[in-house]
Structures are given as C-alpha cells and as structure tokens.
Amino acid sequence: DIQMTQSPSSLSASVGDRVTITCQASQDINNFLNWYQQKPGKAPKLLIYDASILETGVPSRFSGSGSGTDFTFTISSLQPEDIATYYCQQYDDLPPAFGQGTKLEIK
Amino acid sequence: EVQLVESGGGLVQPGGSLRLSCAASGFTFSSAAMHWVRQAPGKGLEYVSAISGNGGSTYYVDSVKGRFTISRDNSKNTLYLQMGSLRAEDTAVYYCARDRSFMFSAFDIWGQGTMVTVSS
C-alpha cells in the first residue's frame, strides 16, 4: 500500500501569513493527489484535485503543486476561517490513502 | 442542491451488525461512483469501500473485506454499507462521498457523517 506522509502534523500561524504543508508519497503517484479541508465537527471538503487544480468555488489563496512523490499545499494569506485540519489523499493505487493530517491553528 | 445524507449509525455490540444508508439528491446518482470513508474519534480519515455507478464493481479495504458489503439502489438514489462482525476498531464516523470523475479520483461531495460505536 502507498503511504502518505504529511508535515508538519500541526502548525500555528498568524492571519496574513503564507502557510505551506507538504505531502510525500512512498512511491511515484504521478499527479494523482487531492487536498481536503476538514473543520471541527464537519465533513471534509475537497479543495484541490490532480495536485494543482482548484475545485470550483474554492478561494484562490489556496494552491497546490508537485508530482511524483513530493507535493505542496499553500495558503497564500491565512484567514481566520482557514482554521482546520488539512489532508492529502492519493488515488494512483488502491487503496486510496490519506495523509495523517495537518492541524492548522491561528497564532 | 447537491446533497448526501447518511443515517443508520448507533451503538452496537461487538460481533453485531448495522446497515448505514446514504440518500443522494441534486445529481444523477446512477452516474456517480460512491465511496465510504471513516474517521475514528480524534483520528484521521480512513478509506473503506467503493462502488461503481451501476453497482457492478466494488472495492473494499483489507480491514473490512468479508465483513462489510457496499451496495446501492439507483431507483431510490441510496447507497448502503452493510457492516457485520463489528469490532471495537470499527468505531468511527462514517461518511459517504461522491467521486467527481471515474471510480477512483477525488471525493467532491460528502455527507455529514453518521457515528457508529461498537461497544459492550
């Protein structure tokens, strides 16, 4: 099974900061990588698919990049409503696998 | 409005059974592959199972294979997860989700989740 490793596991940043989360796959997954946002007590929400394509309606401050084994998720200017846990997920091979999550907090 | 609504969760004893339902609305259900994803309390997301739009193809993660059965009734726009031989480690919020493309891609619509607690 493909393992997905996110870093950091938690992150504290200030409003307006640029925030970056990385996700590493245990083998080449091409660009078959998605990013989700989950707020406390809520279902996950798809933000980015195929590594870099922004889902409809998602603010442009969110972006993704990478291919192969190394991927990056960026919030260009952190907003208070971005407080959540973020997950990457690969779908290059079965089973689809999620990273362990990155909990983002406001400093 | 595109929506998924799960139901059927609850408290069940180890070894017991439970059937979850996921009612879909606002999109052509029969054209969409569907998935179940679970989240144990305080933990991350874990993939569980998938079914194609016509129900002809299914997939299970190893930890539930032989115990869980995914199915769908396209005439009722409803997805199911029949869970048997339940274990404490199956305790989680269970989410249904729609695949945005083919059978395994991104999950673009999620339900609110239903809690399953396996305990004596």
Side-chain angles (χ1 to χ4, degrees), chain A residues 1 34 36 38 41-46 48-50 55 87 89 91 94-100, chain B residues 35 37 39 43-47 59 61-62 95 100 102 104-113:
Chain A
D1 293 3
N34 307 313
Y36 300 87
Q38 187 179 32
K42 300 295 187 181
K45 175 186 176 182
L46 177 65
I48 290 169
Y49 62 94
D50 294 350
E55 175 71 338
Y87 295 92
Q89 175 241 327
Y91 63 98
L94 298 179
F98 294 90
Q100 81 278 17
Chain B
H35 305 268
V37 176
Q39 186 170 36
K43 303 297 184 182
L45 301 169
E46 180 187 19
Y47 189 81
Y59 174 82
V61 70
D62 283 349
Y95 295 101
R100 69 172 301 279
F102 45 92
F104 292 100
S105 63
F107 312 142
D108 65 344
I109 304 297
W110 294 66
Q112 85 287 354

Side-chain angles (χ1 to χ4, degrees), chain B residues 12-18 67-68 83-88 90 94 116 118:
Chain B
V12 60
Q13 292 188 337
S17 299
L18 207 58
R67 301 189 299 122
F68 290 11
M83 304 187 295
S85 302
L86 282 162
R87 307 166 181 168
D90 296 317
Y94 284 73
V116 173
V118 183

